[in-house]
Amino acid sequence: MSFCTDIKNELADIKTRDCCKSALIYGYALFARSFNAKRICLQTENEKNAYSYKKLLSSLYDVDVNIKKGGGVRPTFVAEVLSEADRLKILASVDFGITDTSIYTDLFYRDCCVGSFVRGAFLACGHLSDPDKSYRVDFNIKDENLAKEFLRLLLDHSVEAHISKRQSGALVYIKKNEMIVNLLALMGASSVSLQYIETSVIKSLKNKTNRARNCDNANISRTVEASHKQRKAIEYLIKHERLEALPQELVSVAKLRMENPELSLKQLSAKSPDSITVSGLNHRLNRIMEIYEEIKK
Ligand SMILES: [Zn+2]
């Protein structure tokens, strides 16, 4: 199962407080496909979500909600109020007006109610990516102005999101890991939040170790390459009987390098009998390389 399914299952299962019920249904209503006299329905890929929408509507307004399963490989569920009388009953009872373009905040009595509203919005039009693939939450919103108001509401509750315009409506998205965790907490998804944090921590640890390993590998190959060049130069000097003519400190460093081809400068300096520093050693090896270049010319 995907993270998105897990989180929708968890969110759909949360027991809603009385003060939050209107806000939750409002979130569903405002962000679902339709909530008007002609059609009241929620289309979702998540079965639990469809049933929780049904339960909420039927318990609050005593109406019938039909659930139809459709789609092939990826099934969809449509929870719909089929009777017109029931739809009118709902619309007469809700204490909010659906304008499609702005958010009626008088419904939010407490912070928990805002959380419930956002939860309804997510269940109606949201998607969460798996954190081991990417950090991302999307809300696919049918109206741009509504999307802007939603963005502001999220920001007021410590969730920083962004907006991108679509042909119809807009996408409100969140890409920062910590902001996604804030959103999950706001919506009340505690166990998925924890899983999400765990997975993202593991992912960032893996990235860090990979970077460190790449760095180590790069250092090792630099050491190997430098040692190879130095040995080639020293062998050339030996072959042309020029090594012994060099100052004694260069000869001893050349021998040290030939005897220990695999060592880094630091390891080589630790092995040196005349306790030479790394930079001193480096200087002498560079001097040998210069002499080699001169002779070769
Ligand atoms: Zn509440």
Side-chain angles (χ1 to χ4, degrees):
M1 265 202 298
S2 70
F3 247 86
C4 195
T5 310
D6 286 347
I7 187 173
K8 286 196 172 170
N9 282 344
E10 183 179 348
L11 290 174
D13 245 6
I14 291 177
K15 199 172 166 347
T16 310
R17 291 184 193 178
D18 283 341
C19 66
C20 292
K21 279 183 177 156
S22 291
L24 177 63
I25 193 69
Y26 183 46
Y28 267 122
L30 196 53
F31 293 92
R33 192 157 286 187
S34 4
F35 199 90
N36 53 48
K38 278 191 187 145
R39 210 170 177 205
I40 291 184
C41 84
L42 171 80
Q43 187 180 324
T44 174
E45 72 291 354
N46 188 287
E47 188 171 12
K48 229 177 195 175
N49 189 14
Y51 278 93
S52 116
Y53 179 75
K54 174 189 167 115
K55 197 174 143 197
L56 189 67
L57 281 183
S58 50
S59 71
L60 274 178
Y61 309 114
D62 188 29
V63 292
D64 277 333
V65 182
N66 177 66
I67 291 187
K68 202 175 100 194
K69 188 179 171 182
V73 191
R74 297 182 63 192
T76 55
F77 299 85
V78 179
E80 181 161 11
V81 181
L82 295 174
S83 132
E84 189 186 8
D86 277 352
R87 291 197 295 273
L88 294 175
K89 193 167 157 189
I90 294 172
L91 292 174
S93 323
V94 293
D95 37 12
F96 49 83
I98 299 287
T99 65
D100 271 5
T101 55
S102 67
I103 298 171
Y104 176 69
T105 52
D106 286 4
L107 279 183
F108 309 148
Y109 308 109
R110 304 182 194 145
D111 272 355
C112 59
C113 307
V114 179
S116 297
F117 170 73
V118 175
R119 185 160 85 240
F122 181 81
L123 286 168
C125 76
H127 184 265
L128 169 78
S129 301
D130 282 358
D132 48 359
K133 294 194 187 96
S134 65
Y135 302 121
R136 192 171 170 114
V137 168
D138 292 296
F139 290 88
N140 200 344
I141 298 173
K142 57 198 165 193
D143 179 84
E144 195 187 354
N145 193 59
L146 178 62
K148 282 181 186 162
E149 286 202 8
F150 188 60
L151 188 87
R152 273 195 294 276
L153 179 103
L154 289 177
L155 194 60
D156 285 346
H157 292 82
S158 313
V159 180
E160 193 187 306
H162 303 275
I163 197 163
S164 94
K165 213 178 147 3
R166 285 286 180 269
Q167 209 154 25
S168 71
L171 202 68
V172 167
Y173 63 94
I174 304 166
K175 279 175 88 172
K176 263 192 209 152
N177 177 25
E178 56 177 301
M179 292 301 150
I180 294 174
V181 171
N182 286 359
L183 174 80
L184 293 176
L186 175 66
M187 295 192 296
S190 48
S191 86
V192 172
S193 292
L194 282 177
Q195 263 188 62
Y196 196 90
I197 294 165
E198 247 173 56
T199 315
S200 59
V201 165
I202 290 169
K203 186 184 166 191
S204 86
L205 267 179
K206 269 190 195 157
N207 284 345
K208 269 185 199 151
T209 8
N210 278 344
R211 267 200 299 277
R213 195 178 300 142
N214 289 343
C215 190
D216 281 353
N217 287 345
N219 282 339
I220 289 167
S221 65
R222 265 198 297 278
T223 301
V224 169
E225 202 181 319
S227 164
H228 177 75
K229 278 186 187 159
Q230 289 154 3
R231 281 178 294 125
K232 232 179 84 186
I234 296 165
E235 275 163 9
Y236 184 91
L237 295 175
I238 295 171
K239 197 176 155 199
H240 293 83
E241 295 177 342
R242 302 295 286 268
L243 187 71
E244 295 301 329
L246 298 182
Q248 190 46 44
E249 73 264 22
L250 294 189
V251 177
S252 69
V253 161
K255 282 185 177 154
L256 193 65
R257 173 42 94 202
M258 292 306 281
E259 285 159 11
N260 304 283
E262 76 291 351
L263 296 190
S264 68
L265 284 185
K266 200 175 167 192
Q267 292 164 321
L268 214 53
S269 98
K271 239 192 152 121
S272 161
D274 43 349
S275 64
I276 186 172
T277 62
V278 173
S279 80
L281 188 70
N282 192 31
H283 180 76
R284 288 182 197 179
L285 283 166
N286 285 341
R287 187 74 197 106
I288 293 174
M289 293 306 290
E290 281 166 21
I291 294 167
Y292 159 74
E293 297 290 348
E294 276 163 28
I295 292 173
K296 241 182 91 180
K297 267 188 226 157

